[in-house]
Amino acid sequence: MKAGISVAKLGRQLQVRIYWRLQKFYPAQLSGGMKQRLAIARGFATNPEILLMDEPFAALDEQNKHLLQSELAKLWEEFKSTVVFITHGLEEALLLGDRVVVMSSAPGKIIKDIDVPFDRPRHLSDLKRDPKFNELAEELWNSLRSEVLAARELETRKLQESTS
């Protein structure tokens, strides 16, 4: 744990800020969004130096995803943990990241590494109006396009082989 904040103090902050009212519910009673909020709070609960988040919003609807992206950004601003955020969303990567590293399919190699130039706090609606945001999203897609097409072709070949 990083110096400067006690677990007790952090726990009090999370109780106030992160959905303390959900403590009365059983897991089966919580929606997917509520479960993700709690998972994010648990991730920050020990004030880690590094936090790995592997597609935490992939199963959520757009509305809850946007709300949780904002909550994650606020937590990051407060706790300053390094978050390694894995996503397939190009806009999400630019919204949440300070650096975007694009990897190839297996074997995974770094094929693009860019610094995100936008100041915080960030709002997706504002970023979408910024030409630089759109340029970076296009640049990321161009670096991924051949990887996506190659993976699709491989899947098609495997399906054809399995049905013949």
Side-chain angles (χ1 to χ4, degrees):
M1 180 163 73
K2 293 183 289 186
I5 187 167
S6 70
V7 172
K9 181 178 178 186
L10 180 65
R12 284 191 300 278
Q13 289 174 348
L14 288 173
Q15 287 173 15
V16 170
R17 291 201 54 236
I18 307 294
Y19 317 102
W20 188 244
R21 70 184 189 280
L22 300 179
Q23 72 176 344
K24 300 177 206 161
F25 294 93
Y26 289 101
Q29 296 173 302
L30 299 176
S31 69
M34 290 177 184
K35 288 177 184 176
Q36 278 308 107
R37 287 182 202 116
L38 289 173
I40 291 168
R42 264 195 324 269
F44 281 97
T46 60
N47 199 19
E49 287 187 42
I50 300 174
L51 181 62
L52 173 63
M53 300 184 84
D54 189 355
E55 296 200 73
F57 309 139
L60 299 177
D61 59 69
E62 283 296 305
Q63 297 82 4
N64 277 309
K65 181 169 83 168
H66 287 297
L67 292 172
L68 285 173
Q69 287 170 338
S70 295
E71 187 62 33
L72 174 62
K74 288 176 191 170
L75 285 168
W76 178 83
E77 287 288 336
E78 183 174 342
F79 295 107
K80 301 293 187 202
S81 295
T82 297
V83 177
V84 178
F85 191 92
I86 299 168
T87 182
H88 285 90
L90 304 180
E91 290 181 349
E92 183 172 63
L94 291 170
L95 172 67
L96 296 174
D98 292 322
R99 177 179 172 203
V100 177
V101 178
V102 178
M103 295 190 69
S104 67
S105 55
K109 301 178 295 197
I110 294 174
I111 58 175
K112 189 79 154 167
D113 187 347
I114 63 169
D115 290 320
V116 178
F118 308 112
D119 292 332
R120 292 185 181 274
R122 298 181 192 150
H123 303 282
L124 189 57
S125 58
D126 296 334
L127 288 175
K128 284 185 172 185
R129 289 190 295 271
D130 186 328
K132 183 65 175 170
F133 175 80
N134 295 309
E135 288 172 24
L136 288 173
E138 182 73 16
E139 183 180 337
L140 290 172
W141 171 241
N142 288 336
S143 67
L144 280 172
R145 183 186 321 265
S146 62
E147 292 291 323
V148 172
L149 293 173
R152 182 185 285 180
E153 179 64 30
L154 181 62
E155 285 178 9
T156 301
R157 262 191 263 124
K158 285 181 178 179
L159 282 173
Q160 289 171 343
E161 290 170 4
S162 69
T163 59
S164 49

